[in-house]
Amino acid sequence: SSGINAEYGEKLDKQRQTIGKLYLDNATLTWNGNAINGKAGISGFLEKLPISHTTVHSVAAQPVMDSSIVIVTTGTVRFASSTEQDFSQTFVLKKTDTKTMKVSFDCFRFLNKIESN
């Protein structure tokens, strides 16, 4: 599970033009509540984001039905000159053959900090 996160973060931050290779043709990305459908649409959306620097803080993976795996990550990301933001990202990976898994669903959400009293 940490492999896909490292590869995804690297592609998002430094090789965005190749990030579509991680997705199935019919994948869905939900980015802060906005749905983007299909590998081409997802690639186009992600390529238009400002330059980023991503740090993953935690990863949890769980097998689910159909030989799929759900991966939940949390971390921080900074886009261009904006401030660093906490995020949560959930991937569903599906087998494409005996050795390869690709993202079928991806949900990215910025997190709001809760101030304690």
Side-chain angles (χ1 to χ4, degrees), residues 1 5 7 23 27 39 46 55 63-64 77 87 89 95-96:
S1 66
N5 284 296
E7 185 176 0
Y23 289 89
K39 177 168 61 173
L46 294 174
T55 303
V64 291
V77 65
F87 73 89
Q89 189 165 18
K95 277 192 176 184
T96 58

Side-chain angles (χ1 to χ4, degrees), residues 4 7-8 11-12 15-27 38-47 101-104 106:
I4 184 72
E7 185 176 0
Y8 189 92
K11 287 190 180 299
L12 182 66
Q15 302 169 0
R16 206 170 288 168
Q17 71 281 3
T18 65
I19 202 164
K21 294 177 182 177
L22 299 176
Y23 289 89
L24 291 172
D25 290 340
N26 62 347
K39 177 168 61 173
I42 293 167
S43 293
F45 173 80
L46 294 174
E47 286 175 20
M101 297 191 89
K102 291 195 175 193
V103 177
S104 65
D106 179 359

Side-chain angles (χ1 to χ4, degrees), residues 4-87:
I4 184 72
N5 284 296
E7 185 176 0
Y8 189 92
E10 179 74 15
K11 287 190 180 299
L12 182 66
D13 290 344
K14 298 178 183 165
Q15 302 169 0
R16 206 170 288 168
Q17 71 281 3
T18 65
I19 202 164
K21 294 177 182 177
L22 299 176
Y23 289 89
L24 291 172
D25 290 340
N26 62 347
T28 299
L29 166 66
T30 303
W31 184 273
N32 288 304
N34 301 297
I36 299 103
N37 295 309
K39 177 168 61 173
I42 293 167
S43 293
F45 173 80
L46 294 174
E47 286 175 20
K48 291 178 185 173
L49 292 174
I51 294 169
S52 60
H53 176 71
T54 306
T55 303
V56 174
H57 297 297
S58 64
V59 178
Q62 179 70 40
V64 291
M65 64 183 158
D66 265 352
S67 300
S68 297
I69 299 172
V70 173
I71 300 174
V72 179
T73 66
T74 62
T76 56
V77 65
R78 180 187 315 264
F79 287 103
S81 61
S82 68
T83 60
E84 192 171 75
Q85 294 181 273
D86 293 325
F87 73 89

Side-chain angles (χ1 to χ4, degrees), residues 88-99:
S88 172
Q89 189 165 18
T90 302
F91 300 96
V92 176
L93 303 179
K94 284 193 168 190
K95 277 192 176 184
T96 58
D97 56 42
T98 57
K99 296 181 182 180

